[in-house]
Amino acid sequence: MIYLDVLLLVNFLAAYFFLLAAGALSGQRARFGRMLLGSTLAALSSLILFVPEQPYGVQLAYKLASALVITAATFGWRNKRRLLTVCCWFAALNIALAGVVLLAILRTGTPLLQTGNLAVYLRVSPLLLVGLSALCCLAVELGLRLLNKPKPTNQIVGLELELAGTILHLRAALDTGCHLIDPITCLPVLVVSFPDAQNRLPQILRDYLTAWFAGKPPGDPPPHTRLRLIPCRTASQHSLLPGFAVGNIGLITTNGILGLGRTAVAFAPQSFGSEHYEALYGNDFL
């Protein structure tokens, strides 16, 4: 007998832990609201268990589509490469958990398995399944902390982006405490020091930001730009930084420009105090 409330709750909690782990493995972070949305969709996707058995092609298409929808709802779909990466990790973690429990069942010979349309229902303690999911997430976090060598905080990269119809080249330094997020796309934001970078900006954008930081009405945003208000929280204050959506930010490499996908840039009113860079990025930006 399958209890619908238990099925939905267990799948919701397990999916939450798996989405956390998949995000960590792919270098992405999702807001709490999006995590709840993705977990809810994952729980609802398990209802395929009650549907009459479908052709294998339909089952496979449903599993692939549901995994894409769940991860896209959680982490966004602007950057296709990042979406595919996190989707693969999410699917792999689900398969790994099912494999561990199936192995235990096969070794003990206990008839606790029910399947349907590539969905697996294990009639074991819900706390066991949730606990295993949590342990999987914890193991991923510990593994990343132990195996990943921390990047030096002074790592500097060259970035290329187009703003107000002008191609800009900026130098950006890694700041592990930089976690600004575009509230619309939920993607990490590049923070640019206006005093340090103003000579690189087109005049119309420079005038707009000068008026903004001076507390004067800046008027309409420059042509070919889309204004973003980026929430910024520091130890001493909360503020909104002026920012602009960017179609693509490219990483300047020895082999050319590597596209990082669509995101936004925010401008800070203070100088970063360095002659080596004009912008800051966080661990989840590249």
Side-chain angles (χ1 to χ4, degrees), residues 71-147:
T71 49
T74 306
F75 299 98
W77 56 87
R78 302 289 187 181
N79 190 312
K80 303 302 186 298
R81 184 181 62 181
R82 290 185 178 183
L83 173 59
L84 181 60
T85 301
V86 73
C87 181
C88 290
W89 278 118
F90 179 69
L93 292 171
N94 276 276
I95 293 171
L97 175 63
V100 168
V101 179
L102 283 174
L103 180 62
I105 290 174
L106 291 175
R107 286 187 172 276
T108 59
T110 306
L112 299 176
L113 176 65
Q114 182 172 342
T115 63
N117 294 313
L118 294 182
V120 178
Y121 180 76
L122 303 169
R123 295 190 296 275
V124 297
S125 168
L127 291 178
L128 174 61
L129 291 176
V130 174
L132 288 173
S133 304
L135 285 176
C136 178
C137 180
L138 180 61
V140 168
E141 290 288 345
L142 291 177
L144 289 176
R145 291 179 181 272
L146 292 175
L147 299 178

Side-chain angles (χ1 to χ4, degrees), residues 10 40 45 59 65 79 81 94 113 135 139 147 156 167 188 195 203 208 220 238 273 278:
V10 169
T40 300
S45 71
Q59 298 177 27
N79 190 312
R81 184 181 62 181
N94 276 276
L113 176 65
L135 285 176
L147 299 178
I156 297 176
I167 300 295
Q203 186 63 45
Y208 182 87
D220 295 330
H238 297 173
E278 303 85 26

Side-chain angles (χ1 to χ4, degrees), residues 20-67:
L20 278 177
L25 287 168
S26 60
Q28 303 181 62
R29 296 198 316 166
R31 299 169 66 183
F32 180 66
R34 280 183 170 263
M35 289 291 297
L36 294 182
L37 175 60
S39 302
T40 300
L41 292 175
L44 293 175
S45 71
S46 66
L47 296 178
I48 191 69
L49 186 67
F50 299 103
V51 175
E53 198 74 10
Q54 300 295 311
Y56 181 74
V58 175
Q59 298 177 27
L60 185 60
Y62 175 80
K63 297 299 289 185
L64 293 175
S66 60

Side-chain angles (χ1 to χ4, degrees), residues 189-249:
V189 171
L190 179 70
V191 185
V192 180
S193 167
F194 176 62
D196 296 340
Q198 61 179 327
N199 292 333
R200 299 171 181 255
L201 305 178
Q203 186 63 45
I204 189 171
L205 181 59
R206 191 186 314 170
D207 294 341
Y208 182 87
L209 292 172
T210 299
W212 180 290
F213 291 126
K216 301 176 183 179
D220 295 330
H224 311 296
T225 63
R226 288 171 292 170
L227 181 65
R228 293 277 199 267
L229 296 180
I230 309 297
C232 178
R233 176 180 299 179
T234 64
S236 59
Q237 64 178 355
H238 297 173
S239 60
L240 290 174
L241 298 180
F244 300 93
V246 178
N248 184 54
I249 291 182

